[in-house]
Amino acid sequence: MSQPHESAEQAQPRLMPLPEEHWDARTRTLLATAARDPGGRIPNIFTTLVRHPDLYEQFMPFGGQLLRSGRLPGRLRELLILRTARNTGAQYEWGRHLPLAKATGITDADIDSLTEGPEARGWTDLERHLIRAADELNGHARLSDATWEVLAEHFTDAELIEIVMLVGQYHMVAFFLNTTGVELDPGFDSTGFAEGGPTHG
């Protein structure tokens, strides 16, 4: 049985975003292509992760492939990401992805249902199984045969791989965010966020 998650919020971040006055030439080059928030602000996740420039340089193309160039429909991708954020207690991840999720058609009612899990009312059968997949990967680090078989009826081999890698990627990001205490950026909120993942036997 999984243990309860500690609060994702730290009294103060363990690692602060790297201040602009400390950016060297390489840091400026790496951050030049980072997505910016309204007003030109670079999100805290990037200005914190760039403290490890070699890792940042390799991480960004991988994360971008899954987020912007993946094979999964946007709605399904964001359902998986938000459920993963909820399962891992990653408030930053949840808050940053709410606008992306809503842009794909995910409603406030869907967001409420995500905190309840796969048995909540309103899901299609496919969505129910995808949310269950996120929970199984969180709790057991693998998909059950039953879940795999259902998903295999709807997705190609490449898409099945992407489902697993997407959830794994956002687990890794959650570990980084929760451990370092990255603070949610101005203009974003964590409406509907509920810390702590589901209980798995």
Side-chain angles (χ1 to χ4, degrees):
M1 184 176 296
S2 63
Q3 297 298 316
H5 293 281
E6 294 183 3
S7 172
E9 296 180 294
Q10 307 286 341
Q12 182 176 336
R14 289 171 171 162
L15 289 178
M16 297 296 294
L18 188 65
E20 187 169 0
E21 58 268 25
H22 294 163
W23 296 359
D24 59 16
R26 185 184 183 198
T27 299
R28 292 185 184 280
T29 298
L30 290 173
L31 292 175
T33 58
R36 292 176 181 257
D37 292 336
R41 187 180 186 279
I42 300 176
N44 290 337
I45 184 174
F46 301 139
T47 50
T48 305
L49 184 60
V50 81
R51 287 181 175 278
H52 191 326
D54 294 339
L55 191 151
Y56 179 98
E57 187 173 32
Q58 299 301 315
F59 168 82
M60 292 299 285
F62 179 67
Q65 170 66 34
L66 288 169
L67 183 62
R68 294 188 295 273
S69 303
R71 302 190 181 200
L72 298 176
R75 175 181 169 87
L76 301 185
R77 179 196 69 229
E78 292 302 323
L79 286 175
L80 285 167
I81 293 171
L82 284 178
R83 185 61 179 172
T84 299
R86 196 273 176 184
N87 283 342
T88 56
Q91 188 169 2
Y92 186 98
E93 195 166 84
W94 178 276
R96 291 293 312 195
H97 277 269
L98 277 182
L100 299 177
K102 290 181 178 180
T104 71
I106 291 175
T107 65
D108 289 340
D110 292 331
I111 291 165
D112 289 342
S113 294
L114 267 172
T115 66
E116 299 177 35
E119 302 311 319
R121 296 177 61 184
W123 300 127
T124 66
D125 284 344
L126 179 57
E127 290 169 348
R128 192 180 312 280
H129 285 292
L130 275 174
I131 295 165
R132 185 173 291 115
D135 289 357
E136 289 178 357
L137 290 168
N138 180 70
H140 305 297
R142 71 185 305 274
L143 295 182
S144 67
D145 289 341
T147 297
W148 175 266
E149 288 168 8
V150 171
L151 294 181
E153 295 175 2
H154 296 274
F155 296 105
T156 65
D157 290 351
E159 290 167 337
L160 290 167
I161 291 169
E162 189 167 312
I163 288 167
V164 176
M165 296 295 283
L166 180 72
V167 173
Q169 146 83 354
Y170 281 91
H171 266 75
M172 178 175 66
V173 172
F175 297 161
F176 165 70
L177 294 168
N178 291 348
T179 297
T180 60
V182 176
E183 293 181 321
L184 192 56
D185 306 281
F188 291 81
D189 65 63
S190 54
T191 301
F193 180 76
E195 290 181 19
T199 298
H200 299 276

